[in-house]
């Protein structure tokens, strides 16, 4: 009996210590449930850099799982980045890739500053049309953080360019 319990404890400790036991921040990052609760991430590709918008809750979940910001950005771009962009191909390694990170947070209409004319007008119009109260908005912080990562894709995709139509 003691041996069986010890073997079970060892198996449990091994499982808990592995990545299998942790929540999957990357798989959850763009899930329907996460978008509903935390907002929609975004990736904007430029010729020499990438701008990533992540919900703060997603970044916090990744930190809780032991990830660094640089690893979060690399893995997020690996999973969700546009591989066949004519601007910056994520099918190829990019040493010293510049990545700008902005954070998105959940904000209610009630928290909107009256100095923000656009959101105040949106709030006024919304409240005229509904009796259910204020919805939740996801706002992106005006500030950002700049990182440099060594991006190396773990997989390759085949990019196909459509032929020019002929008449």
């Amino acid at each position: 009996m003691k041996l069986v319990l010890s073997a079970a404890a060892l198996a449990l400790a091994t499982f808990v210590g592995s990545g299998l036991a942790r929540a999957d921040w990357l798989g959850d990052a763009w899930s329907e449930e996460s978008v509903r609760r935390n907002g929609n991430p975004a990736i904007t590709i430029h010729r020499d850099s990438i701008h990533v918008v992540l919900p703060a809750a997603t970044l916090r979940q990744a930190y809780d799982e032991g990830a660094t910001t640089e690893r979060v950005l690399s893995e997020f771009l690996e999973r969700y980045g546009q591989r066949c962009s004519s601007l910056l191909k994520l099918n190829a390694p990019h040493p010293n890739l510049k990545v700008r990170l902005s954070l998105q947070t959940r904000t209610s209409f009630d928290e909107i500053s009256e100095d923000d004319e656009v959101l105040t007008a949106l709030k006024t119009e919304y409240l005229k049309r509904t009796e259910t109260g204020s919805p939740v908005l996801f706002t992106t912080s005006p500030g950002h953080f700049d990182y440099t990562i060594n991006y190396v894709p773990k997989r390759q995709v085949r990019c196909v360019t459509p032929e020019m139509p002929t008449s």
Side-chain angles (χ1 to χ4, degrees):
M1 180 71 163
K2 192 173 201 176
L3 179 60
V4 173
L5 288 176
S6 297
L10 177 62
L12 180 61
T14 302
F15 180 73
V16 170
S18 73
L20 296 174
R22 297 188 302 207
D24 179 18
W25 75 265
L26 188 57
D28 292 342
W30 227 316
S31 71
E32 188 175 325
E33 176 64 20
S34 179
V35 168
R36 187 185 61 71
R37 279 185 291 111
N38 305 314
N40 210 352
I43 299 172
T44 304
I45 297 177
H46 303 279
R47 291 203 182 279
D48 61 350
S49 65
I50 296 180
H51 186 181
V52 174
V53 176
L54 279 179
T58 299
L59 189 58
R60 189 171 31 256
Q61 182 182 358
Y63 288 158
D64 289 346
E65 293 178 28
T68 63
T69 305
E70 290 83 355
R71 190 174 119 207
V72 167
L73 294 170
S74 291
E75 291 181 4
F76 187 76
L77 291 172
E78 167 68 23
R79 168 76 70 88
Y80 299 108
Q82 174 64 36
R83 299 285 189 169
C84 300
S85 169
S86 61
L87 295 173
L88 183 71
K89 291 182 177 23
L90 291 178
N91 239 359
H94 293 280
N96 301 316
L97 177 63
K98 295 175 189 163
V99 181
R100 175 164 285 175
L101 173 64
S102 294
L103 296 177
Q104 188 177 67
T105 55
R106 187 179 179 114
T107 307
S108 72
F109 265 145
D110 300 330
E111 296 173 25
I112 295 172
S113 166
E114 292 188 20
D115 295 337
D116 191 327
E117 294 175 21
V118 174
L119 289 178
T120 301
L122 179 65
K123 175 182 176 180
T124 302
E125 286 303 311
Y126 181 84
L127 292 176
K128 284 181 189 175
R129 300 169 194 252
T130 185
E131 294 178 19
T132 61
S134 297
V136 173
L137 298 175
F138 299 99
T139 57
T140 302
S141 62
H144 60 269
F145 305 93
D146 291 320
Y147 292 90
T148 301
I149 63 172
N150 290 316
Y151 176 79
V152 179
K154 296 176 187 164
R155 61 187 170 87
Q156 297 289 311
V157 298
R158 183 171 175 247
C159 299
V160 178
T161 305
E163 293 183 26
M164 295 298 291
T166 57
S167 55

